[in-house]
Structures are given as structure tokens and as C-alpha cells.
């Protein structure tokens, strides 16, 4: 095909009720390639399975792409709405002698299949060469493609290289079922042609279809688009990523606390690379992305790497946005943050976000803020509160209440100077202090913990623990 046409890519998901992370990566690659070339990225909803294609299942696709930050151009195309066009193309093929009516019934089909197998080629229906006489159009029948019996079909795949298929191995596929429904391969070819798709980037489970689809393009006299089949995503055990591995849907990653920009960066690296670059912006990904650089080997979902990338984007993220995301986590736990706690979270996030690999962890690292007073200490912490430590912490409390700078750095310096003035190491009082301040919840270093709690709350917690009644 001529390469002068502007690049048009597409993602063509079937509504199944969830968006697999592999579909997300395919969408990303199509998006990046389109943007890299100044082209367009389109969405086609392959909603031909009418039972599964509920409004909610279609919405999952829109929501998934929106969450991932992969906006498609123009209006989405709904495949089911195009069935008449698909049927019209089948009629054209029929009239051109490139398709034929086939009345094979179940038993005959099995026999024909066995016969073909014995002869060492894929299924050809006996109706292919039979003079049907006046066709009995009332009797249910399928319409099959009259594929070439000999020769090869070559797919020049941008990722897999040149892949040769023997035509004898490609059966005369059904284009229109006996109930009048167009089949997948036919609908995809007609839609991709009509949508001016120039590059089809998709999972390599469709590589065999590329051969069949190429034959259909040729039969119609249409340009065959460029194909790029990318290896599927595998789990850490090397098997194809499935529900067995836990998280597979885009929404799973969202609720585990991964940021969309981290997913974009990580998924781009999953099956494509630009030197050794692990962290890059969207603009860099667009500038660098070429589908020809996609890897041919299967890629494995590596949680450590994903966490590393996510932690990077959490550190970069705006604190107000992180606060809203953390609030969602608390809300799904049935413990929504009120106005005051939201303000506390916002103040504390800069102090704890450096250690969080996910938004869920970030939420966990904020729970110490929200412990209800008086905090009940566990036996171990109570055991640490000897008379000596109580007296020492009382002296510390006095210094803290006099401190005029409540930043983490200055509090850390105060603690250090205090330990020196007491002639003891941190170990002599820090564990008890931490328990008093947090009740054992995860927390950052003590300077940050105090700073995040604020002066009043910190001193109140100390007072609760040190008062004679405690
Ligand atoms: N609906 C197909 C799928 O989800 C699309 C295949 C294609 O991209 O051609 O696998």
C-alpha cells in the first residue's frame, strides 16, 4: 500500500465487562504510534455479541480509555450497527465469484473437514465447485470465502517480520452465517477499510487472522494495511496473564492504587523500549515510539518494576490530587474523610508520599493521623514506658511545646539535640514516642510524624500517655 496516507490506528475491543490490561497496552501502542506520526487513533466497539454488549459493558471501554488517558479521535464506531454494510460486501464478493453459497449441514461439514484433513489441506466445502443450479435461497446456508488453494500468503508484519502462510492451510472461511450474521474476520476487514485504518497493532493471537484478512482485502481490491502483532502479556510465572494471576483488568490496577500515568509509562515499556529508559513522560513516549521497536519476545508483568514506576509518579503528583485519591480509598473502606481529616491528609501527604508505592499504601501511611484519642497502647509499648522513659518524654514534651518551628527538619534536629542533651541514643525513647504518637500504625520518621500530626495533636497524644492515670 502507499505510505503517503496519514496514519490511522484503532483499538477494537469487544465489550466483555472489563478491560484487560493487554487491551490497555494495545490501545496505548496504537495511541502512541498515531501521535508519533501525527495521525489519528480511533475506537471501534466490536459489539457483535449482542448478549455481552450491554450498555454497561460498552461504558467500561470508554471509562477504561478515559482513565488511562488515551483519548480517541472522532466518534466511536459500533460494529453491530454496520451489519448491512458487511452483508453488502459479502454480496459483492459473491457476485465477483470470490465467495460461494454453502449448504453444508452439520454432518456433512464434519465429513468434509475429515476429508480435507486426510488430503492435507484446510476445509473446502464441496459447494465451492458444485453447480448449485437455481440456488435454494430459502434453505438456510452460509456464504464462504473462495480462498486460493495454492500459493502463499505473506504477512509483512512490522513486529514479527515476514510470516508466510500456505494458502492450503487456510480454510474457506464463513463470511456470513446461515442466520445472516457477518463473521469476525469479514466485519474487521470491512470496518478497518472503511475507517481508513493504515496500521493494525494488536495482540499476536490475531496473527493467523492477518493472513485470512489479507486475502479478503485482496479479493476486494483494497489496500492491505500494515500489521503489527505484539506478543501477549504474561504473568511472572510465564503463563499468559489471566484471572488466575489476580489483577488483569484496568479497574483492578486502579483500585490497587496505580496512577494512570504510571500505567502508561509501565505499559509502554512492557514490550517496547527506548534504550535503557525506564521513566519517561508522555511527550517523550510520543516522540520516541516506533512500532518497529516493539519486542518480539513475550513480556512479563513485573510488579516490582510497576511499583517502582508508580512510586516515581506518586512523588511527582500534585498533593491535592493525591488527597482526593486517598479520600476515595478511605471511602471504599467505609470510612470517608470529613473536611477536617481531608485537610489533615493534604498537610501530611508531602511528608509521607516518598515512601508510598501505591495510593493504597499512601492511605495506609496516613491512618496514624486519624487514630482516635486516647490511643490505647499495646503491652509491648506499655512495657517500654518505664518511669525513666516517662520522665524523659515529659522533658521532651516541654521542649516540643516551646518549639517555634514545626517543620519536619527542625523537629528532627530538635529530637537529635534532645537525645544528645539526655546523653542517650534514640533507641532509649524513640520506640515509645512512636507508639504514643501512632498507636503502632505505619508512619514516617519521627520528625515527619510530629510535623504531620501538628503541634496540638502531638502534644495531646503525649499528654494522654504520660498523664498519671494512663
Ligand atoms: N475484537 C477483537 C479483540 O478484542 C479485535 C481484534 C483486532 O484488533 O482486530 O480481540
Amino acid at each position: 500500500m502507499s505510505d503517503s496516507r496519514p496514519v490511522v490506528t484503532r483499538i477494537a475491543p469487544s465489550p466483555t465487562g472489563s478491560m484487560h490490561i493487554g487491551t490497555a497496552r494495545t490501545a496505548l501502542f496504537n495511541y502512541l504510534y498515531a501521535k508519533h506520526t501525527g495521525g489519528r487513533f480511533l475506537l471501534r466497539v466490536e459489539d457483535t455479541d449482542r448478549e455481552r454488549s450491554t450498555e454497561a459493558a460498552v461504558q467500561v471501554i470508554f471509562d477504561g480509555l478515559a482513565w488511562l488517558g488515551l483519548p480517541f479521535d472522532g466518534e466511536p464506531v459500533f460494529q453491530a450497527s454496520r451489519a448491512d454494510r458487511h452483508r453488502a460486501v459479502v454480496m459483492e464478493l459473491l457476485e465477483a465469484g470470490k465467495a460461494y453459497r454453502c449448504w453444508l449441514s452439520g454432518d456433512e461439514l464434519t465429513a468434509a473437514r475429515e476429508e480435507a484433513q486426510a488430503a492435507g489441506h484446510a476445509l473446502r466445502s464441496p459447494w465451492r465447485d458444485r453447480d448449485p443450479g437455481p440456488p435454494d435461497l430459502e434453505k438456510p446456508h452460509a456464504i464462504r470465502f473462495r480462498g486460493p488453494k495454492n500459493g502463499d500468503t505473506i504477512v509483512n508484519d512490522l513486529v514479527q517480520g515476514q510470516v508466510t502462510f500456505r494458502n492450503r492451510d487456510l480454510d474457506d472461511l464463513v463470511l456470513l452465517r446461515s442466520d445472516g450474521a457477518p463473521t469476525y474476520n469479514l466485519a474487521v476487514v470491512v470496518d478497518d477499510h472503511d475507517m481508513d485504518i493504515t496500521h493494525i497493532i494488536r495482540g499476536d493471537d490475531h496473527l493467523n487472522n492477518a493472513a485470512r484478512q489479507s486475502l479478503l482485502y485482496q479479493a476486494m481490491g483494497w489496500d492491505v494495511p500494515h500489521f503489527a502483532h505484539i506478543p501477549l502479556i504474561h504473568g511472572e510465572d510465564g503463563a499468559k496473564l489471566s484471572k488466575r494471576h489476580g489483577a488483569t483488568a484496568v479497574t483492578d490496577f486502579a483500585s490497587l492504587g496505580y496512577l494512570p500515568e504510571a500505567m502508561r509509562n509501565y505499559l509502554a515499556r512492557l514490550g517496547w523500549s527506548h534504550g535503557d529508559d525506564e521513566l519517561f513522560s508522555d511527550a517523550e513516549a510520543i516522540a520516541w515510539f516506533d512500532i518497529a521497536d516493539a519486542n518480539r519476545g513475550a513480556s512479563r508483568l513485573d510488579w516490582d518494576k510497576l511499583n517502582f514506576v508508580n512510586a516515581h509518579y506518586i512523588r511527582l503528583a500534585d498533593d491535592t490530587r493525591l488527597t482526593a485519591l486517598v479520600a476515595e480509598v478511605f471511602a471504599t473502606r467505609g470510612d470517608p474523610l470529613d473536611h477536617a481529616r481531608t485537610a489533615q491528609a493534604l498537610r501530611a501527604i508531602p511528608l509521607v508520599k516518598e515512601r508510598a508505592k501505591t495510593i493504597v499504601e499512601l492511605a495506609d501511611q496516613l491512618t496514624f493521623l486519624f487514630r482516635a484519642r486516647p490511643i490505647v497502647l499495646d503491652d509491648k509499648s506499655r512495657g517500654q514506658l518505664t518511669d525513666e522513659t516517662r520522665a524523659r518524654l515529659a522533658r521532651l514534651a516541654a521542649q516540643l511545646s516551646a518549639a517555634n518551628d514545626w517543620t519536619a527538619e527542625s523537629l528532627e534536629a530538635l529530637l537529635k539535640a534532645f537525645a544528645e542533651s539526655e546523653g542517650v541514643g534514640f533507641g532509649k525513647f524513640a520506640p515509645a514516642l512512636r507508639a504514643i504518637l501512632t498507636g503502632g500504625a505505619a508512619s514516617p520518621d519521627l520528625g515527619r510524624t510530629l510535623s504531620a500530626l501538628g503541634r496540638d495533636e502531638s502534644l495531646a497524644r503525649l499528654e494522654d500517655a504520660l498523664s498519671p492515670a494512663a
Side-chain angles (χ1 to χ4, degrees), residues 10 12-14 44 46 184 188 192 200-202 205-206 213:
R10 49 58 161 190
S14 311
R44 181 171 68 242
E46 303 216 316
Y184 159 73
V188 163
D192 282 334
I200 294 179
I201 303 171
R202 61 185 172 192
D205 50 337
H206 285 290
Q213 293 170 9

Side-chain angles (χ1 to χ4, degrees), residues 80-135:
S81 72
R82 296 178 36 81
D84 285 346
R85 165 69 177 149
H86 301 147
R87 281 190 279 271
V89 169
V90 175
M91 291 308 139
E92 273 185 54
L93 287 167
L94 198 57
E95 272 157 35
K98 291 174 178 167
Y100 60 93
R101 296 184 193 273
C102 168
W103 280 267
L104 272 193
S105 65
D107 288 350
E108 292 166 329
L109 188 61
T110 314
R113 208 166 258 140
E114 279 166 10
E115 201 178 300
Q117 207 169 8
H121 58 72
L123 176 76
R124 316 277 167 207
S125 160
W127 289 98
R128 177 183 168 113
D129 303 311
R130 196 179 283 176
D131 176 3

